[in-house]
Amino acid sequence: MKKLFYRLSSNWSFVKLFSIHAQSEDGERVIFPTRLFFAVLAVLGFLSLGAFFFPHVGHAQECVWDCDLGSDTLDNPWGNSPQSQLDIAYCIDRDCVIQNLTPIIGPIPSANTNVTLDKSPNSTCTNGGNSDVTISGPVVAWLRDASGNLVPGSPAQASLSITIKCVTFANGGTGASTLKRAVVPKEPRTNVFGASSGITILASSTTPSLNSPKGWTGCPTNNNGILTGDCAFPIGIVEFNNNNAIATELPAAPPFLQGEVFRAEESTRFVGIRDCKGPADPTPASIDPTTIQCSVGGGQSLALLFFEGNWSGANAHTFNPKSGSNPYDIDISSDPSVIILPGTVVASANGGNPIFPTGCNDIPSQNVERCFFNARDFNVVCKTGDPVNLLVTGQLQDGRKFQSTDNPTCSNK
């Protein structure tokens, strides 16, 4: 099942899982599994806020496990520490958007965050680490008031780019890997998070409900409070004078150890970050990390599993947007022991709103979970010969999330 990394026009990615070869570290269990998984999402594939990511020639960039991030099992958003009562919450995948922003009408906006590892030597590292991790992609952001409630009119499309520098990772012989980054007293903040790390709130979006957001204090707005230009907030950490200050701001909070701002564990597919933000900057290209203040925010997620998908059970198959029930096979042959929870399965086409299947059946003889969807319920408008990008998501019995895709050809007859 080896594949090259590529991205569909809908921004869904399939990524090859690369092995990470790392030095051993006492007390840590860690390695990347030999079995390959692939992940797709609304979690991804933008590096440095824009261009599609492809491995650069001679540049040792790899995906952290399946590359794509999903929200945690409760679809909680990530958040950043309040400053002047301004708290930014944001979804890094579409499940989180659906769960937290149900009033949004129309196509679900893009929220695809990926995690990549740059193994090129980092000469600035003094902590034993030599690799950088970047979490980046389109997200959906909104403001929360002091009570944690959504500020009406504030939801917006946004771009996230956070680079954690000098990450250490360990490799053991028992099948689990750990990547982590802790801070020490008087460590320069830009040695921990890249100086350009931040979230940029976009003034416009192709999703009508996210177009012309308002309420973004400190950003360029008109007399009605509507955003008139993109606006960025720096994200990172402060500089701590001593270990007591670190223990106060970054206490041990499992799975984080004291002082850790980033941790990723292969055994549980956990990816977590603890960070703070600075005030709004109306010139996104010049955000200033020295303005960052704490208390700590951040988020916790699960790397997604990817399973191959097949619409209507054929290799050269078509999608008739006017038809009724059709089977969609979720291929679990890469890990036949997994159990898909049928009640969690939903599907969407061309980025539209998700629909539930009419039913799902386990087919052990074929190593698939077969779910049935009414094609006309997708509300797809397509021309004969156009690809139809199908995305199926769900949850496994052990709490992990998966995504599956197929792109049959439209047959609008």
Side-chain angles (χ1 to χ4, degrees):
M1 287 180 59
K2 294 184 177 179
K3 291 179 180 286
L4 295 177
F5 179 96
Y6 68 98
R7 178 173 297 278
L8 299 174
S9 60
S10 61
N11 291 349
W12 300 339
S13 61
F14 297 80
V15 246
K16 179 179 178 182
L17 175 66
F18 297 88
S19 296
I20 290 184
H21 303 287
Q23 62 189 37
S24 297
E25 181 176 319
D26 293 339
E28 296 279 359
R29 297 178 41 204
V30 281
I31 64 173
F32 282 77
T34 56
R35 184 175 60 239
L36 297 183
F37 289 112
F38 300 88
V40 36
L41 191 94
V43 161
L44 290 2
F46 288 85
L47 192 62
S48 300
L49 297 180
F52 292 137
F53 165 71
F54 293 91
H56 298 292
V57 176
H59 205 242
Q61 291 196 336
E62 302 174 351
C63 289
V64 175
W65 306 312
D66 291 337
C67 217
D68 292 346
L69 273 185
S71 49
D72 63 21
T73 54
L74 298 178
D75 294 320
N76 291 315
W78 286 24
N80 284 105
S81 53
Q83 178 181 327
S84 301
Q85 302 303 311
L86 177 64
D87 185 15
I88 301 176
Y90 53 95
C91 284
I92 62 173
D93 72 344
R94 62 186 278 125
D95 288 348
C96 172
V97 175
I98 295 167
Q99 180 69 26
N100 293 276
L101 296 174
T102 51
I104 288 180
I105 306 298
I108 301 300
S110 180
N112 316 359
T113 313
N114 76 348
V115 187
T116 55
L117 176 72
D118 186 351
K119 293 181 66 180
S120 302
N122 186 331
S123 60
T124 67
C125 296
T126 59
N127 65 334
N130 64 354
S131 301
D132 297 344
V133 169
T134 296
I135 299 174
S136 60
V139 299
V140 176
W142 66 94
L143 296 175
R144 291 189 288 204
D145 61 21
S147 300
N149 299 317
L150 182 149
V151 175
S154 66
Q157 195 79 58
S159 293
L160 179 71
S161 181
I162 302 175
T163 296
I164 305 99
K165 303 179 68 175
C166 301
V167 170
T168 61
F169 52 98
N171 208 7
T174 55
S177 291
T178 299
L179 294 81
K180 59 185 181 177
R181 179 59 160 101
V183 298
V184 297
K186 302 186 184 302
E187 185 172 20
R189 67 183 75 208
T190 52
N191 282 9
V192 183
F193 288 91
S196 62
S197 296
I199 183 170
T200 300
I201 310 303
L202 306 182
S204 61
S205 171
T206 56
T207 300
S209 56
L210 301 183
N211 200 33
S212 302
K214 61 182 180 180
W216 293 87
T217 304
C219 295
T221 59
N222 62 19
N223 292 336
N224 295 321
I226 296 175
L227 201 63
T228 57
D230 297 348
C231 185
F233 294 80
I235 290 177
I237 199 68
V238 298
E239 295 170 15
F240 299 98
N241 290 325
N242 52 57
N243 284 321
N244 287 337
I246 293 175
T248 299
E249 200 70 49
L250 297 166
F256 291 104
L257 302 183
Q258 181 176 305
E260 287 184 345
V261 296
F262 171 76
R263 189 172 185 88
E265 297 180 344
E266 190 277 329
S267 61
T268 58
R269 305 185 74 78
F270 169 87
V271 177
I273 191 169
R274 299 198 285 185
D275 56 27
C276 304
K277 72 171 182 62
D281 193 323
T283 53
S286 62
I287 54 176
D288 183 2
T290 64
T291 65
I292 291 172
Q293 301 178 27
C294 284
S295 295
V296 170
Q300 301 181 10
S301 292
L302 299 175
L304 294 171
L305 297 173
F306 176 74
F307 297 129
E308 296 283 358
N310 193 297
W311 174 260
S312 293
N315 291 326
H317 45 289
T318 59
F319 180 95
N320 184 344
K322 301 175 184 178
S323 68
S325 182
N326 285 265
Y328 183 98
D329 285 352
I330 304 167
D331 184 355
I332 61 172
S333 59
S334 59
D335 190 355
S337 64
V338 303
I339 299 176
I340 293 175
L341 299 178
T344 67
V345 176
V346 294
S348 61
N350 291 347
N353 285 327
I355 65 171
F356 286 95
T358 58
C360 291
N361 300 308
D362 186 24
I363 314 294
S365 61
Q366 300 180 37
N367 283 328
V368 302
E369 181 80 11
R370 180 167 295 163
C371 295
F372 293 85
F373 298 92
N374 285 321
R376 56 178 173 268
D377 291 344
F378 286 106
N379 293 318
V380 169
V381 177
C382 61
K383 297 179 181 178
T384 297
D386 289 346
V388 177
N389 296 318
L390 299 177
L391 171 65
V392 176
T393 64
Q395 190 170 324
L396 305 182
Q397 189 178 53
D398 61 11
R400 293 178 297 170
K401 293 185 176 183
F402 76 89
Q403 294 201 4
S404 176
T405 63
D406 193 18
N407 57 335
T409 302
C410 178
S411 178
N412 197 354
K413 297 179 181 179

